[in-house]
Amino acid sequence: MLENSIIEHCAPTLAGIKSGNLFRYRFAVKEKVLKELAEINLKLNIRGVYAEVVRWEKEAVLIYTYRKSHLERELQQEGVRELLGEYGYPDCEVKNCLDHLKKRLYEYECFPHEIGVFLGYPLEDVRGFIRYKGKECKYSGLWKVYSNEAETRKLFEKIKKCTRIYSKVFASGRNISQMTVKK
């Protein structure tokens, strides 16, 4: 069930800790995924969270769940516009950036490295990953860290704790609408 997967993979976005999360969701029937996604968006959009397919595969989809207000703010950060411009993003409007990201996801077998911006990773870590080709990081956790290691380790623990709590609360009967912070 899609709702379970969103809780499991996107709790930090639902809680307002991160701007976005990305996960692979297996399916048997395309129409069923689209229906589930529409139902989830009815519950999440009123709280400022959106879920959409960014890449279709044979038996799975990549779903990007994001908090629009956070993403808008991050796309306007100093340096982000410059970085995205290097990869052909036309501007820093959410819709245009997501459309371009979707194209880039089809162009590459692995992920285009600027995707970290969409997942709420610090710009210095995204740039470091690109510059050093994923090597020479200070720490490797939920992503590879190239700056502010101590601060990022604390964030990793906060994200892990959030995911554990959300999974536990969801298993006890709360629904995704009740668990999504309105911001």
Side-chain angles (χ1 to χ4, degrees), residues 109-124:
E109 234 174 82
C110 62
F111 293 109
H113 301 314
E114 76 276 6
I115 199 165
V117 168
F118 296 87
L119 299 174
Y121 300 173
L123 181 60
E124 299 85 12

Side-chain angles (χ1 to χ4, degrees), residues 120-138:
Y121 300 173
L123 181 60
E124 299 85 12
D125 292 341
V126 175
R127 283 205 176 277
F129 187 88
I130 293 168
R131 177 180 298 126
Y132 298 109
K133 299 179 176 26
K135 297 176 175 42
E136 299 181 41
C137 62
K138 292 180 178 181

Side-chain angles (χ1 to χ4, degrees), residues 3-4 7 43 165-179:
E3 194 165 326
N4 294 354
I7 295 294
K43 297 173 184 178
I165 291 169
Y166 267 60
S167 294
K168 186 177 180 179
V169 170
F170 185 70
S172 73
R174 277 237 181 121
N175 66 47
I176 200 167
S177 296
Q178 295 168 321
M179 296 171 65

Side-chain angles (χ1 to χ4, degrees), residues 27-141:
F27 69 90
V29 180
K30 183 177 180 177
E31 290 73 22
K32 186 174 183 241
V33 173
L34 293 172
K35 183 179 180 209
E36 283 183 291
L37 212 49
E39 290 170 1
I40 285 291
N41 274 308
L42 283 174
K43 297 173 184 178
L44 297 181
N45 292 173
I46 59 172
R47 301 216 174 258
V49 177
Y50 298 81
E52 63 181 86
V53 173
V54 290
R55 180 173 156 164
W56 287 94
E57 299 171 353
K58 188 175 181 176
E59 296 176 351
V61 290
L62 283 178
I63 295 178
Y64 176 56
T65 303
Y66 63 100
R67 192 167 280 280
K68 189 175 182 182
S69 62
H70 285 47
L71 184 58
E72 286 172 336
R73 191 170 48 246
E74 290 185 15
L75 291 174
Q76 297 305 317
Q77 283 181 2
E78 188 174 325
V80 170
R81 182 177 310 210
E82 181 182 297
L83 173 72
L84 295 179
E86 293 171 21
Y87 294 98
Y89 288 80
D91 56 42
C92 286
E93 295 298 319
V94 170
K95 183 189 180 324
N96 296 338
C97 284
L98 289 177
D99 288 345
H100 192 72
L101 176 63
K102 289 174 188 178
K103 289 178 196 167
R104 298 224 354 116
L105 283 165
Y106 281 103
E107 293 171 358
Y108 291 88
E109 234 174 82
C110 62
F111 293 109
H113 301 314
E114 76 276 6
I115 199 165
V117 168
F118 296 87
L119 299 174
Y121 300 173
L123 181 60
E124 299 85 12
D125 292 341
V126 175
R127 283 205 176 277
F129 187 88
I130 293 168
R131 177 180 298 126
Y132 298 109
K133 299 179 176 26
K135 297 176 175 42
E136 299 181 41
C137 62
K138 292 180 178 181
Y139 181 74
S140 183

